[in-house]
Amino acid sequence: MEVIELSLPATNRLATEYVEGTFPVHEAFHPCSFEQRLRELQKRTYAREALADHLLAYHQKFQASRETIANIEKLRQRESVVVIGGQQAGLLTGPLYTIYKIISIITLAKQQEQKLGVPVVPVFWMASEDHDIAEINYVHVAEAGKVKKYVYSPLAKEKRMAAHIEMDADELMGWVDDVFKTYGETNVTNELRTYIHECIAKSRTVADFFANVVFALFAKEGIVVVDAAHPQLRAIEREWFMTLAHEHEAITHALQNQQQHLERLGYKKAIDVTPMCAHLFYDDGQRRLLYYDDAQHCFYTKDGMYRFTHDELRQRIESEPQSFSNNVVTRPLMQEWLFPTLAFIAGPGEIAYWAELKQVFEHFQWHMPPIVPRLSATLVERHIATDLADVHMTVEEVLTTGTKRALEEWIRNNQPAAFDETFREAKKQMALIHEQLRQLGMQVDPHLEGVMLKNAERMETQIDYLQQLITRRMLQKHDVHVRKYERIELSLRPNNMPQERVWNVLYYMNRYGLDFVDRLLHVDYRWNGMHKIVYI
């Protein structure tokens, strides 16, 4: 695989400036070197034994690789640290950026372990407590030259956490088979389909399925997966849930102060919470955000189902920690409390919302870990590279402006001489002739004006139709060339979105081999914030 680099804007201004190095980092983060961060972490203590015991039991259930088990054991060592990042448990791993995030975690962990001389464990935080199932219940596929959202319908109305949704294996296998049909048959299709079917057969829930696919893809790399909704993990987190509940007002105050600070610097707010938010969810089968009532001195859910005094909430956390989970503000705090985090791998949206957490971290007398932008990439297949050369476009042009403008210019250059001018002149002449006819008609009967104006509109519409008809016939005549623009757009900028936010990794594995992810892992990436163009 050949890699070139481009400077492309991220999906929000703050992340773009952060990646480019123009954002005033001290205003929102605690910048430091990895060496400095390591020294800071070695002064702190963690529940290493309890965490390692839980992770060992969890991963043994999945028959995780020896490399993963060895990495879990490393967490018991006082000097060990982690590189961590996370994502929701998307079907078939979701869009490509999930794969890029895991590759980023693994790659940076390896590099820093070699550089720092201490164990650096790659950890993926699976956001299995997320109940916004509409964000994970589909993959995008290409059908008839268009992007199609292929939804797994049994999840369409789900409101529960991904960790609590049990799957019908046969039904899910049928859906996967339908997805594979859109990819086309290759010499590895049957083996890849079997590989995914086996992951389904070993899974009970949506979260299990995601974890099984990740373990299969990255077995050699020793990736450690944290199931955020696992009851045993929640038991370890019990003490911190109590702290977060007690400190919820201070958390909100610190968050809002930092948001106001960033707004004064000209940056839009990324996290939207109300002053009454308690930053924890309570789950009885349906996940409900907790709020705080100052007048009644109690926590409550908006639907009125639950009200807890401070003592009652403490007792609930003590007796059923598995019923509590973090919101977007407290999840990073829980991660910081659980793991000696050398670096956090972040997507553009995460960079923006972590910028609002600086004062929240400071409230707990912590520094934020170094925030490292995940690798961002566009995969260029060989036939797409050929199409690009044929239409004289670069990948950078496609990613920044799309193909529409270039196609329109090509059409203009290949139209009959003075094509547009001829139709404009025809409309102009027709309007003059019709004006004379209207004047004549008005002399006979002034009430004919409305009818004659409509007639003029119909005549202009007919000229437009004729122009469009000739243009379509011309495009049909040059169909082979026009389709190159369409293929390029569909592959590199589907639905006018970054490729990594639309296409799924299994399409590329089906086309380029079961070792495709492994080959992606071993590309020589540089941590410079540049967008990677990977030719395959």
Side-chain angles (χ1 to χ4, degrees), residues 81-92:
V81 292
V82 308
V83 172
I84 193 168
Q87 203 67 47
Q88 295 162 290
L91 289 181
L92 302 178

Side-chain angles (χ1 to χ4, degrees), residues 43-310:
K43 297 174 185 176
R44 292 166 55 180
T45 58
Y46 299 88
R48 290 179 179 273
E49 291 298 325
L51 185 60
D53 287 346
H54 157 63
L55 291 173
L56 198 60
Y58 173 76
H59 286 75
Q60 285 172 341
K61 182 185 77 169
F62 288 94
Q63 299 178 320
S65 67
R66 288 175 297 177
E67 292 84 353
T68 290
I69 299 302
N71 272 337
I72 293 171
E73 292 294 347
K74 287 179 183 178
L75 287 173
R76 301 184 192 275
Q77 302 176 33
R78 191 180 184 284
E79 70 274 19
S80 68
V81 292
V82 308
V83 172
I84 193 168
Q87 203 67 47
Q88 295 162 290
L91 289 181
L92 302 178
T93 72
L96 280 164
Y97 61 68
T98 300
I99 299 298
Y100 298 156
K101 186 170 283 187
I102 298 174
I103 289 174
S104 302
I105 293 166
I106 292 168
T107 303
L108 186 61
K110 284 182 178 179
Q111 291 174 355
Q112 291 306 312
E113 181 167 281
Q114 185 175 16
K115 184 178 179 181
L116 299 174
V118 299
V120 182
V121 178
V123 177
F124 183 83
W125 183 289
M126 179 175 61
S128 53
E129 79 276 40
D130 201 303
H131 61 284
D132 194 352
I133 303 302
E135 292 188 1
I136 65 169
N137 69 348
Y138 66 91
V139 295
H140 285 112
V141 300
E143 283 194 351
K146 303 291 183 182
V147 179
K148 180 181 178 181
K149 189 175 183 179
Y150 210 83
V151 176
Y152 179 54
S153 57
L155 299 185
K157 296 182 179 180
E158 277 288 355
K159 301 294 183 184
R160 294 175 294 167
M161 296 181 183
H164 293 169
I165 301 173
E166 296 190 3
M167 305 175 311
D168 182 307
D170 291 338
E171 197 168 31
L172 185 57
M173 286 179 188
W175 178 82
V176 167
D177 290 347
D178 288 342
V179 170
F180 271 93
K181 288 175 185 175
T182 71
Y183 293 161
E185 196 80 19
T186 71
N187 60 343
V188 302
T189 300
N190 287 335
E191 189 176 357
L192 182 57
R193 187 190 293 112
T194 300
Y195 164 93
I196 298 299
H197 281 197
E198 289 173 354
C199 289
I200 294 172
K202 292 187 292 184
S203 303
R204 183 177 64 86
T205 67
V206 171
D208 289 346
F209 179 38
F210 178 92
N212 269 311
V213 175
V214 168
F215 287 134
L217 289 176
F218 297 97
K220 297 178 184 177
E221 305 302 326
I223 190 70
V224 176
V225 173
V226 178
D227 181 348
H230 199 285
Q232 291 179 3
L233 184 70
R234 293 284 172 76
I236 298 171
E237 296 172 338
R238 179 191 288 117
E239 174 189 342
W240 192 241
F241 280 135
M242 292 180 178
T243 300
L244 294 175
H246 183 263
E247 299 288 335
H248 71 91
E249 289 178 292
I251 291 170
T252 299
H253 182 69
L255 171 69
Q256 291 176 337
N257 280 347
Q258 180 65 13
Q259 288 177 327
Q260 290 165 9
H261 178 63
L262 289 172
E263 284 174 349
R264 286 193 292 271
L265 294 175
Y267 298 96
K268 293 181 179 179
K269 186 165 62 174
I271 301 174
D272 187 20
V273 297
T274 66
M276 298 82 71
C277 181
H279 306 291
L280 291 176
F281 286 91
Y282 181 71
D283 188 346
D284 65 349
Q286 179 178 336
R287 196 168 180 236
R288 298 173 171 89
L289 187 61
L290 290 173
Y291 296 87
Y292 188 72
D293 186 334
D294 273 324
Q296 299 293 322
H297 303 293
C298 67
F299 298 86
Y300 67 95
T301 57
K302 273 192 173 179
D303 59 7
M305 287 289 293
Y306 296 98
R307 295 185 77 85
F308 306 122
T309 65
H310 282 269

